[in-house]
Amino acid sequence: MNPFSIHPQLLADCHPLGRLSATHLLLHRNAAVPWLILVPETELQNLLDLPARQRDAVLADCKRVSDWLTGTRGCARANVAWIGNLVPQLHVHVVGRRPDDACWPRPVWGHLEPGPTYEEAELARIARDLLGP
């Protein structure tokens, strides 16, 4: 069995923040919308194919991130999707959305123009909020 690694495209697009209980937490580099990506350690490609205990743990991580987006970041909603059309490795997008965001009401995929990036202090604050001290 090969050691786990995160797909190179995800690493190119995101800041790795650390580890939640069941997933590796990444933050999309474009700060125009708060877009987090959770990557479970599995070779399976479909969230629904995970063993129930692992699937529930991944969904609990998604809930934690969703609650942070709507509670702390003031997003009206959190969109959650696992698509995998370009990156075959299982990963779950949790995107905070507001009516005044850069893409509203369209999906972020294919509609997010290059935008601002995160400062190091903001990355540290987000990691601390989601992962703890």
Side-chain angles (χ1 to χ4, degrees), residues 98-132:
R98 289 189 283 269
D100 64 346
D101 75 33
C103 299
W104 188 270
R106 298 169 297 166
V108 294
W109 297 274
H111 298 285
L112 186 61
E113 298 291 327
T117 58
Y118 290 96
E119 299 289 331
E120 287 300 319
E122 180 68 3
L123 288 171
R125 186 173 24 262
I126 292 168
R128 193 171 45 253
D129 281 356
L130 288 166
L131 304 171

Side-chain angles (χ1 to χ4, degrees), residues 20 33 36 56 100 127 130:
L20 293 169
V33 295
L36 293 111
D56 291 349
D100 64 346
L130 288 166

Side-chain angles (χ1 to χ4, degrees), residues 45-56:
Q45 294 182 351
N46 186 339
L47 180 68
L48 300 177
D49 291 338
L50 292 177
R53 178 173 272 150
Q54 185 180 18
R55 183 186 62 239
D56 291 349

